[in-house]
Amino acid sequence: MADLDIDDVFDTLGFGRMQLIIFFGCAIQQFYVTNEQFGISLITVAARCELNIGDHHLSWLMTAGLIAQVCTSHYMGFKSDEIGRRKLLVITSTLTIVTSFISSLMPEFWSFLVMRFIVGCFLTGPGMALLTYMGEFTKIKLRPMVLNFLCYSIGISMMYVPASAMLILPQDINLKISGDYAISGWRVLSMTNLLPGIISLLMLLPMPESPKYYLSVQKTQEALDALEMCCRYNKGKNVTLKSLGIDSVTQSNLRRDSLVPHKNFFRRIWHDTKPLLQGSNARYMLIVIGIMFFMFATGAVLTVWMPRVLKMTNEIEESMILCDVLKAYAAQNASTAVSKLICSLPFIMAAPVWLDSC
């Protein structure tokens, strides 16, 4: 047992206290990421009058964060291989929390839009790195189940955000700061969405970097130090790797060509991207992209759709199907052309025109 593969080392160390801390830290971080991704829908509804947001402005806000995530997600994946999973997670999570807090204080639409775009740019960091970080601390046999349970926090967030909105938005919160500027309900709701991110950040700060990352960049001693820490967390303070017969570790499935440096930034990104487009990796990547597309296409817009549709049905006395409700409501508050567009494209993200006029 002098020279073990790292997956065999994790089999020996088991799924113990360190993995549980990382699991709950990453799960709460995923909770926070989903708060930011889908919570903006309800915040946008509540902030419409105060920020004087028109219908087309609402479309921009709904899409700005997601466009930012599409633009930066690939770079964040590359960066996690360059600087480490935990380091990227901590840096981007901190920046996301700070910029999201600043966005909740913005006094008018354009500054709010810019800040939400910046939030989206940083949000892909923790959104991507947390699954990799958790997976690399989990033995192969448990990895699919652990990552599956971790993703349950997405559903919990989708209940947390509307529940928080139901509690906060009906309250008469109007803390005057200066002139017409005040801390109102939607700002408090936005700040409430930050709490899981702060908690998870505090949980993950004491944790080590992934030993698999260290091995991938030929930092064997740092990998051993991280495994030593894991050993003490899981087996007790008096147990060391040497006492378990582990003197060194290897990573058998490491791509050797990944160690070849490229001076050109774009060549480095292409070098790390190319394997995703080859063999079975391409098929799995397309499946994941399809799943994510439908999750965002439905989840992000339904948080605005359903509260709005329910209010419409209360205002229209007749029993109607959805498109007829929208047409009847549009006859009173919007143009018929927009109503037809909504009915023909029910999942388009640029369609939150069902809000009350201020």
Side-chain angles (χ1 to χ4, degrees), residues 1 4-16 19 137-140 227 230-232 234-235 239-246 249:
M1 275 184 85
L4 283 180
D5 184 84
I6 190 166
D7 288 316
D8 295 327
V9 174
F10 278 120
D11 279 334
T12 302
L13 298 179
F15 193 90
Q19 280 80 5
F137 269 98
T138 308
K139 59 183 182 179
I140 294 175
L227 290 169
C230 182
C231 178
R232 294 178 184 275
N234 290 3
K235 301 292 185 180
V239 182
T240 63
L241 292 178
K242 282 193 175 182
S243 69
L244 297 174
I246 302 170
V249 292

Side-chain angles (χ1 to χ4, degrees), residues 223-268:
L224 283 170
D225 292 341
L227 290 169
E228 189 75 60
M229 183 176 176
C230 182
C231 178
R232 294 178 184 275
Y233 265 78
N234 290 3
K235 301 292 185 180
K237 293 183 179 180
N238 297 324
V239 182
T240 63
L241 292 178
K242 282 193 175 182
S243 69
L244 297 174
I246 302 170
D247 296 319
S248 62
V249 292
T250 61
Q251 191 169 348
S252 58
N253 58 351
L254 181 65
R255 283 176 57 217
R256 293 301 162 191
D257 63 339
S258 68
L259 303 176
V260 180
H262 291 283
K263 292 183 179 180
N264 185 279
F265 169 75
F266 296 102
R267 285 189 63 191
R268 293 203 309 271

Side-chain angles (χ1 to χ4, degrees), residues 5 9 40 63 93 104 161 173 196 236 247 310 348:
D5 184 84
V9 174
I40 186 60
T63 55
S93 178
S104 69
V161 171
I173 302 174
D247 296 319
L310 289 172
I348 191 169

Side-chain angles (χ1 to χ4, degrees), residues 152-172:
Y152 282 8
S153 57
I154 296 174
I156 297 173
S157 170
M158 290 182 175
M159 294 183 284
Y160 169 86
V161 171
S164 299
M166 289 175 64
L167 290 173
I168 294 172
L169 295 182
Q171 306 299 320
D172 187 19

Side-chain angles (χ1 to χ4, degrees), residues 53-113:
I53 302 172
D55 294 333
H56 60 293
H57 293 150
L58 283 169
S59 300
W60 297 348
L61 276 173
M62 288 287 292
T63 55
L66 294 178
I67 289 173
Q69 291 175 59
V70 170
C71 292
T72 60
S73 58
H74 192 70
Y75 171 74
M76 290 296 182
F78 163 78
K79 202 64 181 176
S80 75
D81 290 336
E82 192 170 66
I83 67 173
R85 290 77 164 97
R86 177 191 167 277
K87 186 174 182 179
L88 180 76
L89 198 160
V90 169
I91 292 173
T92 54
S93 178
T94 302
L95 291 172
T96 303
I97 292 169
V98 170
T99 52
S100 183
F101 177 77
I102 294 172
S103 74
S104 69
L105 301 176
M106 290 297 100
E108 44 79 40
F109 169 75
W110 294 108
S111 58
F112 184 66
L113 176 66

